[in-house]
Amino acid sequence: MEKKLKSVQLKKRQAIELVKTVEQFTSEYTDERVGEVPVCLEQLEKYYEEFLQANAKVSELDDDAAEMCVVERCEMDTRYRRVKGFLLRRQPTNPGVNSDSILIASLTTNSSGRSSGVNLRLPKIELPTFDSDSTKWLTFRDRFVAMIDSSADIPNIMKLQYLLSSLKGDAGLLFEHTTLTADNYDVTWTALLKRYDNPRTLVRDYYRKIHHLPTVSHEQVDELAQLVDEFTRHVNGLKKLDEPVEYWDTPLANLLFMKLDAKTILAWKNHSAQHAKDKYKELVDFLHNRVRILKSTREFSHNSAEVNTRMVAGNKKPSEHRTKVVGNTATAGRALPQVSAPQLSCILGCTEPHHLRNCPEFTSRHLRREIAVNDCVGDRRLLGVERRLMANPAMDSEYQKFMADYEQLGHMV
């Protein structure tokens, strides 16, 4: 019993000391350490639970320590509430702030009767970016306000850091030398709104972008898809700025016609032959369907071509070509300078390897006559070459010189 009591008391002291480490984090906290807050919350829950279990066990095993356990429990509860309240006030609750978002999904009651949060790790949500393109300002503004600006749990200094890291290109250069302080967040955000959040200017920019969209050349499906996407994006921007685009069927349809190729316009005329007038929404739906059909047709044609190519390649049989030697031995040597012939042994059975023309025995006229009647085709051709060389001393000299150079080059190993 005594040994078990000591073990439980040791666990209790360990839990108290671990809670003190989290408490020390709160006393040394700075805004740069905000990423550690979720981890400290998890540790605090774990250490507090271990303390409660150990404290209850000590009170059960040692009746004399029951009163002290109550006092320590009250002190721990006070410390726990103070530390957890501090961490919760500084916990970034927005999913786009931390690399691993934490969502409190539900509350459960543990064995000690205390409610604890269940943390679920969600994938990282990238912050929106803005590169001074006015047609992308509305999307950036709305997302940044929803994720960062409207969050009361994110300190202003962190909001400024997120804002500066989201600005790219010319927009980022405007605030390149902004000092990272809490007071500068409102100043920077106000300056950004003043420069880009102007509905009158944004409407002009959207109109200008629509007019300067590139025209589709011929029937390029990729160009057509990009045109339709960009055109609808700009029209949706005008709609968000409260422009009455739902009444602009004729202007928008004709603006879009000016960017289309002849085949697409003809296809639309055939499709809408029964329509009284051109409807912008119907035209966009038709173009989306046309893009989808053209892409699927292109992919099918591409896949069919690959299959046919593989089938043709598979039916081809590799042809083996044998090199024919035309002319005398010297000519054959020049034609295939990279082919090294194996070192031949004398066909007359000499112990030393040498060519027939260098064989001492071959000089005998008697042996010449015997070998001349040999049925071997190769031997007969070789002997024919030898006879021609012996009949022409000049050619024989040139041949011997060539063969000597050929051997020195390492082609006859």
Side-chain angles (χ1 to χ4, degrees):
M1 179 69 69
E2 184 178 357
K3 184 177 181 180
K4 187 175 182 180
L5 178 61
K6 289 183 179 180
S7 175
V8 176
Q9 288 175 340
L10 177 61
K11 291 181 180 179
K12 179 180 176 179
R13 287 197 300 271
Q14 289 177 345
I16 293 174
E17 293 299 322
L18 290 173
V19 171
K20 287 182 179 179
T21 61
V22 181
E23 190 175 18
Q24 183 179 1
F25 169 83
T26 61
S27 62
E28 300 173 355
Y29 174 82
T30 59
D31 289 336
E32 288 75 15
R33 303 181 67 182
V34 67
E36 301 176 35
V37 171
V39 179
C40 289
L41 277 170
E42 294 180 3
Q43 292 177 341
L44 180 63
E45 296 289 339
K46 178 182 177 182
Y47 303 154
Y48 183 61
E49 179 66 19
E50 291 176 353
F51 168 81
L52 293 179
Q53 294 178 359
N55 190 63
K57 200 67 177 177
V58 170
S59 178
E60 178 182 344
L61 296 176
D62 189 1
D63 294 335
D64 297 336
E67 186 175 353
M68 181 60 66
C69 289
V70 173
V71 174
E72 291 178 346
R73 167 67 186 272
C74 294
E75 292 177 354
M76 178 58 70
D77 286 344
T78 302
R79 181 180 297 174
Y80 169 80
R81 289 193 300 270
R82 183 174 63 252
V83 175
K84 186 172 183 179
F86 178 92
L87 294 176
L88 288 176
R89 287 193 301 273
R90 286 157 180 82
Q91 181 187 17
T93 58
N94 190 281
V97 175
N98 291 331
S99 60
D100 290 321
S101 305
I102 299 179
L103 174 65
I104 305 301
S106 61
L107 293 177
T108 59
T109 304
N110 55 28
S111 58
S112 62
R114 182 181 54 84
S115 297
S116 60
V118 179
N119 293 332
L120 299 180
R121 299 284 180 178
L122 297 178
K124 178 181 178 180
I125 300 178
E126 297 291 342
L127 289 174
T129 59
F130 179 65
D131 58 359
S132 75
D133 185 352
S134 56
T135 62
K136 299 178 181 179
W137 163 254
L138 296 177
T139 301
F140 168 77
R141 181 199 65 187
D142 294 345
R143 292 182 181 178
F144 189 85
V145 169
M147 297 173 65
I148 304 298
D149 183 71
S150 62
S151 177
D153 298 320
I154 304 178
N156 279 353
I157 189 171
M158 289 190 63
K159 290 182 180 180
L160 179 60
Q161 176 63 40
Y162 293 134
L163 177 60
L164 296 178
S165 63
S166 299
L167 299 178
K168 309 295 181 182
D170 295 338
L173 292 176
L174 291 174
F175 305 99
E176 183 178 10
H177 301 291
T178 301
T179 305
L180 199 62
T181 61
D183 295 336
N184 278 342
Y185 171 70
D186 291 332
V187 176
T188 305
W189 181 242
T190 302
L192 196 64
L193 292 174
K194 185 177 180 180
R195 184 176 182 89
Y196 294 104
D197 199 37
N198 187 330
R200 185 179 181 183
T201 304
L202 290 176
V203 169
R204 294 174 182 173
D205 290 341
Y206 276 113
Y207 274 120
R208 188 180 299 110
K209 291 284 186 179
I210 290 176
H211 279 281
H212 287 85
L213 286 174
T215 304
V216 177
S217 58
H218 306 293
E219 195 178 19
Q220 299 292 335
V221 60
D222 295 329
E223 294 181 6
L224 180 61
Q226 184 176 4
L227 170 66
V228 176
D229 292 341
E230 287 296 300
F231 198 98
T232 54
R233 185 174 72 87
H234 297 328
V235 172
N236 290 336
L238 290 171
K239 184 177 181 180
K240 194 168 186 176
L241 291 168
D242 297 327
E243 291 294 304
V245 295
E246 60 271 13
Y247 303 108
W248 295 354
D249 284 324
T250 300
L252 292 178
N254 281 277
L255 281 174
L256 191 50
F257 283 143
M258 295 172 60
K259 308 296 180 181
L260 298 176
D261 61 283
K263 289 185 178 180
T264 303
I265 295 176
L266 180 60
W268 165 252
K269 288 183 178 180
N270 293 332
H271 174 79
S272 61
Q274 306 300 326
H275 296 181
K277 61 180 298 186
D278 295 321
K279 297 287 187 179
Y280 167 72
K281 186 178 183 306
E282 293 178 359
L283 175 60
V284 171
D285 293 339
F286 166 79
L287 293 176
H288 281 304
N289 292 333
R290 183 172 178 81
V291 168
R292 183 172 62 255
I293 293 173
L294 291 176
K295 284 187 176 181
S296 62
T297 304
R298 182 180 63 180
E299 292 175 359
F300 177 78
S301 302
H302 179 70
N303 295 336
S304 299
E306 288 185 349
V307 171
N308 293 334
T309 302
R310 288 196 296 268
M311 291 177 63
V312 172
N315 291 332
K316 289 184 178 180
K317 295 182 179 179
S319 58
E320 298 180 2
H321 300 280
R322 298 182 61 182
T323 304
K324 296 182 179 181
V325 179
V326 181
N328 56 25
T329 310
T331 305
R334 294 190 187 96
L336 298 173
Q338 301 298 328
V339 179
S340 59
Q343 189 171 9
L344 300 176
S345 59
C346 181
I347 63 174
L348 299 182
C350 298
T351 57
E352 297 180 0
H354 52 247
H355 293 278
L356 183 62
R357 61 186 176 83
N358 296 327
C359 179
E361 298 294 333
F362 191 71
T363 58
S364 172
R365 299 177 98 182
H366 176 70
L367 289 176
R368 282 178 180 271
R369 286 194 300 269
E370 290 183 356
I371 298 176
V373 296
N374 196 300
D375 293 333
C376 179
V377 177
D379 291 345
R380 288 202 305 269
R381 290 182 177 178
L382 179 59
L383 291 174
V385 173
E386 293 286 347
R387 283 195 298 271
R388 287 196 296 272
L389 292 177
M390 292 180 66
N392 190 342
M395 182 182 293
D396 183 58
S397 177
E398 291 294 326
Y399 176 76
Q400 292 183 16
K401 181 179 179 182
F402 169 78
M403 293 302 298
D405 296 337
Y406 199 70
E407 290 177 351
Q408 289 179 0
L409 292 174
H411 297 310
M412 298 179 65
V413 181

